[in-house]
């Protein structure tokens, strides 16, 4: 039990510090009440019944009695203290332990976080649209003068974005088509209409799933790659060096990646469509629908407009992936933490935008009757 009385503030701290050090020294050889010595005591109890006034300096000196060492302290308790005195001692104890004092969270913190999230969302959308406007301007300049396009860089990115992604896009689309055929055949068999599984696979793969699989994989692979590459250049100040020598960043870094995405996306979408239909064909074959009947019904019943609807989405999704990936890369501030956060935001933002745009396309084509 440690009884505290009088004033414990900055004016009396010199006298108190000397008296407290003398009392603590009587418990052992060290000046402070160490952990090894204090193990004989279950808890340090402070009695504030005689305390008049206390400030931060007095609370910090008092907390030497709990013998903090290497982040470990004895348990302590305060009795006969006001709410303010308990809060002051708690902050001083955490400071003595080497911990940052944690302030109590206000009741409106969830509302504040929601507001900040909404504000950041609007700001991100505005910055992305602004960056897209800059890209449109540089695109017109490149169309007027195509010799400024860096074709070597474009071809290199096409290999990375398109050719390297062919296996994973093909495999995933194949299994998506197979899953659709399995589910459709199981449901349609109850109505004796198993042959309509061909229509289901054809429309869903050509119109939606092939292009969505392509876009989501493009967002996971290429979008994150764009952000990481440009972000690393930003951290090494290579982007600043390009600006110093008079090179346009959008023309040098953004345009080749965007052009490569625009060229690769329709090709990947077409491969995804073929793979998805092949997966549905094999499943339908196992259920009694021959490949000849499957292909004949695809060509006769499925309108070609479904193919063009899927292909029309591919360039839009490709542009979304390229613009968001490059913008987030240029937004990196120079630390590894910023690079990781921007890469995560880039992928999430791209996939979110792709899903929203796909829903808008669905509503638009529905109104158009396509």
């Amino acid at each position: 039990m440690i009884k505290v009385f009088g004033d414990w503030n900055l004016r009396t701290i010199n006298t108190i510090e000397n008296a407290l050090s003398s009392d603590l020294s009587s418990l052992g050889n060290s000046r402070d009440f160490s952990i090894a010595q204090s193990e004989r005591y279950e808890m340090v109890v402070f009695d504030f019944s005689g305390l008049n006034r206390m400030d931060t300096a007095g609370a910090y000196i008092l907390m030497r009695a709990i013998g903090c060492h290497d982040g470990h302290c004895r348990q302590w308790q305060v009795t006969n203290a006001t709410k303010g005195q308990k809060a002051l001692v708690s902050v001083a104890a955490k400071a003595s332990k080497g911990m940052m004092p944690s302030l109590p969270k206000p009741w409106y913190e969830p509302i504040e976080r929601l507001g900040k999230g909404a504000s950041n969302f609007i700001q991100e959308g505005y910055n992305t649209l602004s960056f897209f406007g800059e890209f449109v301007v540089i695109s017109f300049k490149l169309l007027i003068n195509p010799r400024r396009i860096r074709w070597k860089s474009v071809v290199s990115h096409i290999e990375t974005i398109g050719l390297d992604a062919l296996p994973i896009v093909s495999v995933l689309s194949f299994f998506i088509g197979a899953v659709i055929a399995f589910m459709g055949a199981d449901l349609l068999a109850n109505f004796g209409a198993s042959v309509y599984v061909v229509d289901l696979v054809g429309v869903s793969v050509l119109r939606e799933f092939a292009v969505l699989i392509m876009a989501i994989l493009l967002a996971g692979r290429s979008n994150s790659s764009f952000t990481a590459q440009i972000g690393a250049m930003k951290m090494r100040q290579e982007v600043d060096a390009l600006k110093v020598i008079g090179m346009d960043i959008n023309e040098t870094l953004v345009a080749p990646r965007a052009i490569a995405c625009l060229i690769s996306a329709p090709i990947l979408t077409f491969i995804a469509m073929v793979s998805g239909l092949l997966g549905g064909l094999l499943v339908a074959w196992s259920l009694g629908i021959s490949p000849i009947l499957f292909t004949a019904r695809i060509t006769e019943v499925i309108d070609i407009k479904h193919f063009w609807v899927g292909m029309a989405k591919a360039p839009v999704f490709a542009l979304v992936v390229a613009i968001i990936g490059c913008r987030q890369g240029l937004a990196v501030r120079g630390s590894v933490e910023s690079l990781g956060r921007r890469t995560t935001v880039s992928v999430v933002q791209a996939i979110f935008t792709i899903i929203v745009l796909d829903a808008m396309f669905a509503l638009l084509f529905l109104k158009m009757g396509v």
Side-chain angles (χ1 to χ4, degrees):
M1 172 74 71
I2 297 178
K3 293 185 177 181
V4 182
F5 55 90
D7 295 336
W8 286 63
N9 51 33
L10 192 60
R11 292 183 177 180
T12 61
I13 192 173
N14 188 35
T15 305
I16 292 174
E17 198 274 339
N18 293 331
L20 183 63
S21 298
S22 176
D23 292 339
L24 294 178
S25 297
S26 64
L27 298 175
N29 295 328
S30 63
R31 185 181 180 187
D32 290 337
F33 192 43
S34 66
I35 296 298
Q37 296 164 338
S38 61
E39 288 179 352
R40 294 173 297 174
Y41 302 91
E42 294 294 332
M43 179 181 293
V44 179
V45 180
F46 299 98
D47 183 4
F48 280 11
S49 57
L51 179 64
N52 294 330
R53 289 186 297 270
M54 173 180 283
D55 61 10
T56 306
Y60 184 77
I61 292 298
L62 181 64
M63 284 300 102
R64 290 178 55 191
I66 63 176
C68 291
H69 181 69
D70 292 335
H72 299 282
C73 301
R74 294 297 297 164
Q75 295 182 356
W76 57 274
Q77 182 181 355
V78 177
T79 60
N80 301 320
T82 63
K83 185 177 180 180
Q85 291 171 345
K86 290 180 180 180
L88 187 61
V89 172
S90 177
V91 171
K94 291 182 179 180
S96 300
K97 194 176 180 180
M99 299 170 56
M100 292 295 294
S102 57
L103 298 177
K105 296 181 179 180
W107 63 268
Y108 54 83
E109 187 201 14
I111 303 176
E112 182 181 8
R113 292 179 61 184
L114 182 63
K116 288 181 179 179
S119 176
N120 292 336
F121 179 80
I122 295 173
Q123 187 66 36
E124 282 288 328
Y126 173 80
N127 292 337
T128 302
L129 288 176
S130 176
F131 189 81
F132 176 73
E134 295 177 5
F135 172 75
V136 170
V137 172
I138 198 65
S139 298
F140 278 115
K141 292 182 180 179
L142 294 177
L143 287 175
I144 295 173
N145 189 7
R147 291 178 298 177
R148 295 181 64 88
I149 299 177
R150 300 174 178 274
W151 290 109
K152 291 183 179 180
S153 179
V154 171
V155 172
S156 175
H157 287 301
I158 288 176
E159 180 182 1
T160 304
I161 297 167
L163 188 61
D164 294 347
L166 276 177
I168 185 65
V169 170
S170 302
V171 171
L172 284 182
S173 298
F174 176 87
F175 285 109
I176 289 293
V179 169
I180 294 171
F182 267 123
M183 296 178 64
D186 185 53
L187 292 174
L188 294 172
N190 298 326
F191 305 98
S194 297
V195 70
Y196 285 100
V197 72
V198 180
D199 304 51
L200 177 62
V201 171
V203 173
S204 59
V205 169
L206 294 177
R207 195 179 184 98
E208 292 293 339
F209 287 107
V211 68
L212 271 180
I213 289 296
M214 180 280 305
I216 291 174
L217 286 176
L218 205 65
R221 290 184 74 257
S222 303
N223 179 278
S224 58
S225 175
F226 293 166
T227 304
Q229 290 171 358
I230 298 177
M233 294 178 65
K234 192 78 179 294
M235 291 173 59
R236 295 193 296 263
Q237 298 183 342
E238 295 177 19
V239 175
D240 296 333
L242 291 174
K243 292 180 180 179
V244 167
I245 63 178
M247 300 185 70
D248 192 321
I249 300 302
N250 290 328
E251 182 180 320
T252 307
L253 300 178
V254 180
R257 289 171 169 81
I259 295 173
C261 283
L262 289 173
I263 295 174
S264 301
I267 299 173
L268 290 174
T269 302
F270 179 77
I271 298 298
M273 289 178 178
V274 174
S275 299
L277 292 177
L278 182 59
L281 184 148
L282 292 178
V283 172
W285 192 5
S286 68
L287 299 173
I289 301 175
S290 66
I292 296 176
L293 177 59
F294 188 95
T295 54
R297 189 167 181 83
I298 283 286
T299 55
E300 292 175 5
V301 178
I302 305 302
D303 200 309
I304 191 65
K305 68 180 182 181
H306 300 301
F307 170 79
W308 290 116
V309 165
M311 294 297 292
K313 298 177 185 177
V316 178
F317 293 163
L319 202 58
V320 166
V321 169
I323 294 299
I324 292 178
C326 294
R327 194 198 79 79
Q328 293 294 339
L330 291 172
V332 173
R333 294 305 177 195
S335 64
V336 176
E337 181 183 0
S338 175
L339 178 61
R341 182 168 54 85
R342 286 293 177 178
T343 303
T344 303
V345 170
S346 178
V347 175
V348 173
Q349 195 177 94
I351 294 177
F352 174 81
T353 307
I354 287 168
I355 299 298
V356 171
L357 287 177
D358 185 68
M360 294 174 64
F361 271 123
L363 293 175
L364 176 63
F365 291 139
L366 178 64
K367 294 295 184 181
M368 294 173 59
V370 178

